[in-house]
Amino acid sequence: MNEAWIIDAARTPRSIGKIGKGALSSVHPQRILATVLKALAERNNLNTADIDDVIAGCGTQIGKQGSCIARMSALDAGYDIKAPGLSVERFCGSALTAVNLATMGIMSGMQNLVVAGGIESMSYGSTLQGKPFLDSDNTHLRARYPQPHQGICADLIATLEGITREETEHLAMESQRRADYAIRNGHFNKSVVPVYDEAGNLVLDHEEFPRPQTTLEGLAALKPAFASVYAAPLDEEGTSYKQLVQQAYPGVEVNHIHHAGNSSGVVDGAAALIIASPDYARAHGLKPRARIKVVATAGDSPQLMLNAPVPAARKALALAGMSISDIDLFEVNEAFAVVPMKFMRDLNVDPAKVNVNGGAMALGHPIGATGAIILGTLLDEMERRDLTVGMATMCTGGGMAPATIIERF
């Protein structure tokens, strides 16, 4: 089996995901991803005609983000027309899944050079009028797997696990502190590329979302985000999230603890990595930064939705013949505070090894791009600390999680 080498990683800064407020909200999503693709090609002197595929995750593939945004962004970036594109969706895990698909293509020997990552303009996606989370014509699946909103799932997990609001807010504060320190000390500089508009004007060159002024007192004053919608009717039959939760967990009274401060931020952004076979890299003078040791994907309870990172990590470790103690650093997406908290609790992971530069509670979570962002962040930090092995994983809708273990040379 071939090895899959990471040659480089790049991303845009993350912009506040609100039209008129975030800098990237005025930029076409295709151009946001094209910015990253172009930067990777230029700084690595890629012959883009050799690219076997450009794989891009995207959580909302409609309108400006539809019509295979991977291919259109590659064309926008000036890639050779021989470089095809593929758009994939696994909810929040779309970009990490894109990287994992690229890895499998390289390891199988069927591909030699793939650029993989993701894009999400959440400010644009918020304007789309799609079907609600609970489709009125999908009652048969709802009866089998009553899946509430992901925020409700976060509160439900906290209730079942005995995780308190105060614990989540301390983690949120730590995420803000770590992100602020990382930004001020240039920990993201290696991967972040500025975004320009079509006229060549600078649109964004820094992280927009972090709130280093956050305090525990401020977090404590925030209202829970999902309490008000818990019992509200969602369809003509009057179905509510509460009914779905009670269907799966009769008698459970959900303690609503998640809010804007201990949940991931709504942002726009894109990221990608170059994945190559050893033979291609050597023949074209591409220096690898790390090898992808294993990739894995796991499914777990759709009703709880957010717990799959633990089985995904265990699956990846088993494939690699490793134990949790072999991992030097972790990136576990902070979709909600309970996700990394349960991960650390269940796997007995030292918090000092997890999301050391802050996470999505401080920096934001551009759904289809985050997996590639955290994998690049992980690699940059492993290099900065001269560490060897890292793992990235994240929860997704439907109760799934991709995981990736990388190893520096």
Side-chain angles (χ1 to χ4, degrees), residues 27 50 65 69 114 138 190 272 293 310 315 325 335 345 373:
V27 182
D50 289 345
Q65 296 189 154
I69 195 169
V114 181
N138 201 19
K190 187 169 186 174
K293 195 168 180 67
V310 170
K315 189 173 183 179
S325 61
R345 175 187 290 185
I373 291 175

Side-chain angles (χ1 to χ4, degrees), residues 29 76 148 220 228 242 314 319 336:
D76 196 345
S228 62
K242 182 176 182 178
R314 287 176 172 149
L319 286 169
F336 300 92

Side-chain angles (χ1 to χ4, degrees), residues 115-351:
V115 180
I119 165 67
E120 201 76 48
S121 176
M122 296 184 75
S123 56
Y124 164 67
S126 67
T127 69
L128 300 176
Q129 298 300 314
K131 287 186 176 182
F133 189 82
L134 293 173
D135 296 341
S136 59
D137 59 354
N138 201 19
T139 55
H140 63 287
L141 183 59
R142 190 189 312 170
R144 183 180 298 175
Y145 297 112
Q147 302 176 60
H149 183 278
Q150 58 266 32
I152 302 295
C153 290
D155 287 342
L156 175 57
I157 292 168
T159 301
L160 297 174
E161 295 287 330
I163 295 172
T164 68
R165 173 167 171 160
E166 290 73 22
E167 288 175 308
T168 65
E169 289 174 346
H170 278 281
L171 183 63
M173 276 293 299
E174 181 64 7
S175 184
Q176 292 285 352
R177 186 195 68 78
R178 292 180 180 186
D180 181 52
Y181 183 86
I183 291 168
R184 288 188 290 105
N185 288 276
H187 294 183
F188 301 141
N189 291 356
K190 187 169 186 174
S191 289
V192 173
V193 295
V195 180
Y196 296 86
D197 63 19
E198 294 183 16
N201 301 308
L202 178 65
V203 177
L204 185 67
D205 63 356
H206 64 278
E207 299 286 346
E208 257 189 353
F209 190 77
R211 295 152 290 181
Q213 71 279 9
T214 300
T215 64
L216 285 173
E217 291 75 18
L219 292 175
L222 294 174
K223 292 183 179 180
F226 309 105
S228 62
V229 300
Y230 185 51
L234 299 164
D235 56 23
E236 294 178 356
E237 287 75 34
T239 305
S240 67
Y241 292 131
K242 182 176 182 178
Q243 288 177 340
L244 296 177
V245 169
Q246 290 294 321
Q247 184 178 331
Y249 295 92
V252 169
E253 293 297 328
V254 174
N255 181 21
H256 296 284
I257 68 168
H258 286 89
H259 48 67
N262 57 10
S263 305
S264 55
V266 176
V267 296
D268 304 336
L273 296 90
I274 301 171
I275 314 296
S277 68
D279 286 348
Y280 185 89
R282 294 188 188 104
H284 294 83
L286 299 175
K287 184 179 179 181
R289 296 174 60 187
R291 64 171 59 86
I292 298 180
K293 195 168 180 67
V294 299
V295 300
T297 308
D300 200 68
S301 165
Q303 295 95 319
L304 292 175
M305 197 179 299
L306 311 177
N307 283 343
V310 170
R314 287 176 172 149
K315 189 173 183 179
L317 290 168
L319 286 169
M322 303 172 74
S323 66
I324 202 74
S325 61
D326 294 320
I327 307 298
D328 298 315
L329 280 182
F330 297 84
E331 283 287 326
V332 182
N333 186 43
E334 294 175 352
F336 300 92
V338 293
V339 178
M341 291 185 73
K342 181 167 172 56
F343 184 90
M344 291 184 287
R345 175 187 290 185
D346 287 4
L347 296 176
N348 194 28
V349 176
D350 183 353

Side-chain angles (χ1 to χ4, degrees), residues 29-45:
Q30 171 186 300
R31 175 56 57 90
I32 299 173
L33 179 56
T35 296
V36 176
L37 301 182
K38 183 178 181 181
L40 285 171
E42 289 180 346
R43 70 192 201 183
N44 293 280
N45 195 28

Side-chain angles (χ1 to χ4, degrees), residues 84-118:
L86 169 68
S87 296
V88 300
E89 189 220 332
R90 198 194 298 275
F91 302 104
C92 300
S94 297
L96 195 56
T97 296
V99 173
N100 289 357
L101 288 172
T103 300
M104 289 185 277
I106 300 292
M107 284 185 167
S108 72
M110 296 296 104
Q111 296 177 320
N112 284 298
L113 181 64
V114 181
V115 180

